[in-house]
Amino acid sequence: KALKIPSYDFASECLENALALLEDQEKALKKSMEEGNVESAVEKEKEEGKGNTAATSKDTKGTDDSEREDDASAPSLQKIRQDKLKVMEHTTKVSLIYVKLCLGDPSMALYYADQLLSLDGLDPRQKMLVNMYAAEALCALESPKAAAERLHSIANTELADNGDGVEFTYTKHATSAQLRVGINVNSARVHIQQGRLDAAKEAAETALKINPKDNSAIITWCYIELRRGRTQSALEVLRKRRSAV
């Protein structure tokens, strides 16, 4: 059978298959954990009903201790596996959202974004990225107000990223350029609160000139553009940011 040529359509198919497999594994693991708990309870009842002689108790003590150790270690291993499956599911869905946007399918991208954001334990950086993808999808669906709300929800996040995957805060271990970006982004946000959108845009543009990849600057600038009714402008920047990933 001939191999399929790599494409976004093929990538989407692979990621959707991966999600289905992960879902099956999660269901199987959950069932196994539930059945394991029932079996442990039954075994405990059996042990409590065994012989009452001291000799029997002595003979079975070592076995009981061993079984208790096994019972204690099994759930922890299952929990580790469950956590790994969740991480894989989150990562797969982030990739699928990206692919759906590349395919020009904002509706499905938004569907998976909302689905992912509703899950517990989502990494803060993934949450920020998914909200940016959701904002892009909403812009494409001509819902600028909803897109602005998504950006506003992450505008004040404590997580900062210089666009190269390096985390930092503007007040600790930050370079001069990072500090200048932070000052201008904060200035833009103050102007937004005061309703001075022109001044806010100027500050955000200054931040972007210093570092065009800074997520905080991109989010703030796009939010301002959406508030100004310039949906297409915000959409173009969000798409450019995605293509640079």
Side-chain angles (χ1 to χ4, degrees), residues 84-158:
K84 286 183 177 180
L85 287 174
K86 282 185 178 179
V87 171
M88 291 172 67
E89 179 188 3
H90 295 173
T91 304
T92 302
K93 282 186 176 177
V94 171
S95 299
L96 185 55
I97 294 165
Y98 173 88
V99 169
K100 291 298 183 182
L101 287 171
C102 291
L103 286 170
D105 191 353
S107 295
M108 287 305 299
L110 185 60
Y111 168 78
Y112 284 114
D114 286 339
Q115 195 179 75
L116 184 53
L117 290 169
S118 69
L119 301 178
D120 294 327
L122 187 62
D123 180 83
R125 292 185 62 172
Q126 287 183 328
K127 186 174 182 180
M128 180 178 68
L129 183 60
V130 172
N131 269 300
M132 291 180 74
Y133 286 162
E136 179 186 338
L138 287 164
C139 284
L141 293 169
E142 299 183 358
S143 299
K145 185 177 179 180
E149 290 173 356
R150 294 295 181 114
L151 294 178
H152 185 264
S153 70
I154 55 172
N156 297 315
T157 179
E158 294 180 0

Side-chain angles (χ1 to χ4, degrees), residues 17-225:
N17 287 339
L19 281 178
L21 290 172
L22 285 169
E23 185 179 347
D24 289 343
Q25 289 188 37
E26 288 174 353
K27 286 180 179 178
L29 181 59
K30 184 178 179 181
K31 183 179 179 181
S32 174
M33 292 174 72
E34 290 173 350
E35 290 177 349
N37 291 335
V38 172
E39 288 173 3
S40 295
V42 172
E43 289 298 323
K44 186 176 180 181
E45 289 178 2
K46 287 181 179 179
E47 289 298 326
E48 289 175 351
K50 282 185 177 179
N52 297 320
T53 63
T56 304
S57 298
K58 184 176 179 181
D59 292 339
T60 58
K61 187 176 184 303
T63 304
D64 290 343
D65 290 341
S66 176
E67 286 177 354
R68 276 195 289 273
E69 287 178 3
D70 290 341
D71 288 344
S73 62
S76 63
L77 291 173
Q78 289 176 327
K79 181 64 168 62
I80 291 172
R81 187 183 174 196
Q82 189 176 48
D83 290 341
K84 286 183 177 180
L85 287 174
K86 282 185 178 179
V87 171
M88 291 172 67
E89 179 188 3
H90 295 173
T91 304
T92 302
K93 282 186 176 177
V94 171
S95 299
L96 185 55
I97 294 165
Y98 173 88
V99 169
K100 291 298 183 182
L101 287 171
C102 291
L103 286 170
D105 191 353
S107 295
M108 287 305 299
L110 185 60
Y111 168 78
Y112 284 114
D114 286 339
Q115 195 179 75
L116 184 53
L117 290 169
S118 69
L119 301 178
D120 294 327
L122 187 62
D123 180 83
R125 292 185 62 172
Q126 287 183 328
K127 186 174 182 180
M128 180 178 68
L129 183 60
V130 172
N131 269 300
M132 291 180 74
Y133 286 162
E136 179 186 338
L138 287 164
C139 284
L141 293 169
E142 299 183 358
S143 299
K145 185 177 179 180
E149 290 173 356
R150 294 295 181 114
L151 294 178
H152 185 264
S153 70
I154 55 172
N156 297 315
T157 179
E158 294 180 0
L159 178 67
D161 186 331
N162 67 0
D164 297 318
V166 180
E167 297 178 24
F168 63 88
T169 63
Y170 291 124
T171 56
K172 184 179 180 182
H173 306 308
T175 65
S176 174
Q178 290 167 352
L179 287 170
R180 285 185 287 125
V181 168
I183 290 169
N184 280 283
V185 167
N186 289 334
S187 176
R189 291 172 181 171
V190 170
H191 288 311
I192 290 171
Q193 292 175 350
Q194 296 173 343
R196 301 171 59 191
L197 295 182
D198 289 338
K201 182 181 179 183
E202 185 177 346
E205 285 179 341
T206 300
L208 283 174
K209 286 177 182 177
I210 298 169
N211 186 357
K213 295 182 179 180
D214 186 272
N215 283 329
S216 295
I218 292 170
I219 290 167
T220 303
W221 189 89
C222 289
Y223 175 76
I224 293 166
E225 287 296 270

